[in-house]
Amino acid sequence: MGIQLIPLSEENLQVKGEGISYDPNKIGFAKFHLMNMPDNNNIDDFDRIILYKYYSLDSLKYLLQDQKLYINKVSSWDDKYENFFLKCQFSYGNESDTAEKFVNSIFGQSWTTSPETDALWRIYSQDKKGIRVRTTARKLFDALYIDNESMSNLWFGKVKYDYMSSFIKQIEHIIYKEPRTDKVFEEILPESEFMKRKEFAHEEEFRAILMLNLEQTAKFQNYKRLAFDINLADFIDEYCFDPRLNKDVCDLQRIKLVEMGVDSYKITRSTLYDFQPHTFVLN
């Protein structure tokens, strides 16, 4: 039967499958696309890759309430250099083409492998009320692995940071070797979502990219995100408050999270800016 796409609302599509049936000792990762990581990775290695993501309290509220992981269309991402391949022009003699037909096909989610930086807190927690959650690549993989068929449409791994000119040369090399077909777009497009300019290397992103086929896209093109069932209590290992948050507000935020069902022992506050003056002993 394969995966099913079931409308949940005007914006959300529930993704259902027949369940996990892989044997990590035998099948490994043959059915999906591993990006910018060693080919000999096994599923135990994914347990050791710690991932972090920043949410607002309101965004977390919906996750905890719905018990779903939402994967947005990549076309909603802010950086104008994101999805650069979707915006490119392609010429063939007197003919031209674009990858525009795939705009509604690509969904993705970004995490970071960086435990903490000043820049990430200031970018993703501008009101000082952001919450950084922690999970593992294995848990993210298992959340998205709902059916063997779905894995052929999943690209999973680390973002590569380089100069835009290098990425363009890389894509030109692929296009030169391949015939002019939609299959070329389908192969290059998801991989291009793992290409990002060097100026963003501090983000150390880890991404999951999912791509619908053109038939599914035509049927569900107006939906903004995919929804996967998860158990947040198992999926998220830690909730960390902004280091700039004062104690009183921190205590109120903690109460709100506990009221939403979060275990209190998983809640902490970053100590990035905590400072204890050192005493030097002078003779």
Side-chain angles (χ1 to χ4, degrees), residues 32-63:
F32 80 104
H33 310 269
L34 189 62
M35 300 300 300
N36 304 316
M37 295 174 66
D39 292 334
N40 60 352
N41 271 81
N42 60 56
I43 204 162
D44 292 330
D45 293 325
F46 277 17
D47 278 319
R48 292 188 284 272
I49 299 176
I50 308 300
L51 301 180
Y52 305 89
K53 190 171 180 62
Y54 294 78
Y55 285 96
S56 67
L57 186 63
D58 287 340
S59 296
L60 268 182
K61 177 182 177 181
Y62 288 112
L63 263 65

Side-chain angles (χ1 to χ4, degrees), residues 250-266:
C250 186
D251 290 341
L252 289 174
Q253 296 281 68
R254 181 186 298 272
I255 291 171
K256 289 180 180 179
L257 281 182
V258 171
E259 289 175 345
M260 293 178 195
V262 175
D263 290 328
S264 60
Y265 73 88
K266 289 186 175 183

Side-chain angles (χ1 to χ4, degrees), residues 11-238:
E11 297 185 344
N12 301 328
L13 271 177
Q14 174 76 52
V15 185
K16 291 284 189 180
E18 296 180 350
I20 298 175
S21 59
Y22 68 91
D23 182 342
N25 297 315
K26 295 180 180 179
I27 298 178
F29 302 124
K31 289 184 176 289
F32 80 104
H33 310 269
L34 189 62
M35 300 300 300
N36 304 316
M37 295 174 66
D39 292 334
N40 60 352
N41 271 81
N42 60 56
I43 204 162
D44 292 330
D45 293 325
F46 277 17
D47 278 319
R48 292 188 284 272
I49 299 176
I50 308 300
L51 301 180
Y52 305 89
K53 190 171 180 62
Y54 294 78
Y55 285 96
S56 67
L57 186 63
D58 287 340
S59 296
L60 268 182
K61 177 182 177 181
Y62 288 112
L63 263 65
L64 291 162
Q65 173 183 296
D66 299 344
Q67 294 292 300
K68 296 184 188 300
L69 185 67
Y70 292 105
I71 312 293
N72 293 330
K73 278 184 180 174
V74 299
S75 58
S76 68
W77 292 351
D78 290 336
D79 181 4
K80 69 178 182 180
Y81 281 93
E82 295 279 16
N83 312 306
F84 70 91
F85 188 74
L86 284 170
K87 303 166 186 174
C88 292
Q89 300 288 323
F90 303 88
S91 61
Y92 308 92
N94 295 326
E95 299 180 38
S96 63
D97 199 359
T98 70
E100 188 175 351
K101 70 178 74 174
F102 298 102
V103 166
N104 293 312
S105 300
I106 301 285
F107 296 77
Q109 188 174 74
S110 292
W111 294 70
T112 178
T113 56
S114 174
E116 187 169 49
T117 69
D118 174 80
L120 290 176
W121 279 116
R122 293 184 185 277
I123 293 169
Y124 298 109
S125 178
Q126 294 184 13
D127 63 355
K128 303 180 184 179
K129 295 182 180 179
I131 300 170
R132 188 201 67 199
V133 302
R134 189 187 78 206
T135 188
T136 66
R138 170 65 181 272
K139 291 183 178 182
L140 180 60
F141 177 80
D142 284 347
L144 301 176
Y145 191 168
I146 58 169
D147 188 283
N148 283 340
E149 178 184 318
S150 71
M151 299 318 294
S152 63
N153 299 320
L154 173 67
W155 284 255
F156 195 74
K158 296 180 179 179
V159 168
K160 180 181 179 180
Y161 299 93
D162 206 338
Y163 297 107
M164 185 58 63
S165 58
S166 297
F167 293 137
I168 290 174
K169 287 180 181 179
Q170 180 180 336
I171 292 172
E172 285 178 337
H173 181 69
I174 296 171
I175 293 175
Y176 179 77
K177 294 193 305 180
E178 296 287 346
R180 183 190 131 193
T181 63
D182 281 347
K183 186 176 181 182
V184 174
F185 288 148
E186 291 171 357
E187 290 178 357
I188 298 175
L189 179 52
E191 292 190 14
S192 72
E193 299 297 340
F194 291 85
M195 301 175 180
K196 201 163 183 179
R197 293 177 296 157
K198 274 185 174 291
E199 290 83 354
F200 294 88
H202 68 276
E203 294 181 345
E204 298 182 33
E205 286 179 88
F206 190 104
R207 287 182 171 177
I209 300 293
L210 297 106
M211 186 168 181
L212 304 184
N213 61 43
L214 289 178
E215 181 181 348
Q216 292 168 327
T217 302
K219 186 176 181 181
F220 300 110
Q221 61 181 324
N222 294 325
Y223 289 87
K224 295 183 178 180
R225 60 191 64 86
L226 304 177
F228 291 81
D229 288 330
I230 54 173
N231 182 332
L232 264 293
D234 295 330
F235 183 73
I236 297 181
D237 299 316
E238 181 188 72

